[in-house]
Amino acid sequence: MDNRQKLTLSALARMVRQYLEERPDGLVDSYAMSAGERAFEALAAFGYMEMSEQGARFGRWTEAGRALLLWDDLASSAAETFPMPPVSP
């Protein structure tokens, strides 16, 4: 995965966290907005989210997704590695 992909996935994950609600049960609600649903699908394709059994409206962060949210792309150093997805796209 190149640096552009890493920055893009990090930005997408941060936008999901900032604009969509994570409910107490761990599901993230897209509010039935197609942009949110597409973001879930894109992050799920890389293993950072799981699609809910309740349909495309809801997703759930995976362990790798939670690590991605903690990764600081602006202050990353050799000691802070990018959280690689568990599956290849």
Side-chain angles (χ1 to χ4, degrees), residues 4-44:
R4 292 183 313 157
Q5 291 172 313
K6 292 175 183 178
L7 291 174
T8 301
L9 287 166
S10 176
L12 184 59
R14 288 168 191 248
M15 289 179 71
V16 166
R17 181 181 59 192
Q18 182 172 349
Y19 292 106
L20 301 178
E21 175 187 6
E22 183 171 357
R23 302 178 343 175
D25 62 2
L27 290 175
V28 181
D29 189 346
S30 73
Y31 301 115
M33 293 186 299
S34 62
E37 292 170 0
R38 300 289 175 145
F40 291 173
E41 292 169 1
L43 290 164

Side-chain angles (χ1 to χ4, degrees), residues 18-77:
Q18 182 172 349
Y19 292 106
L20 301 178
E21 175 187 6
E22 183 171 357
R23 302 178 343 175
D25 62 2
L27 290 175
V28 181
D29 189 346
S30 73
Y31 301 115
M33 293 186 299
S34 62
E37 292 170 0
R38 300 289 175 145
F40 291 173
E41 292 169 1
L43 290 164
F46 284 87
Y48 294 114
M49 288 195 91
E50 297 172 345
M51 300 303 292
S52 169
E53 60 281 350
Q54 297 177 15
R57 178 175 171 176
F58 299 99
R60 184 182 311 273
W61 294 110
T62 63
E63 185 177 326
R66 294 214 180 268
L68 178 61
L69 291 171
L70 296 174
W71 183 71
D72 187 352
D73 54 319
L74 299 176
S76 62
S77 64

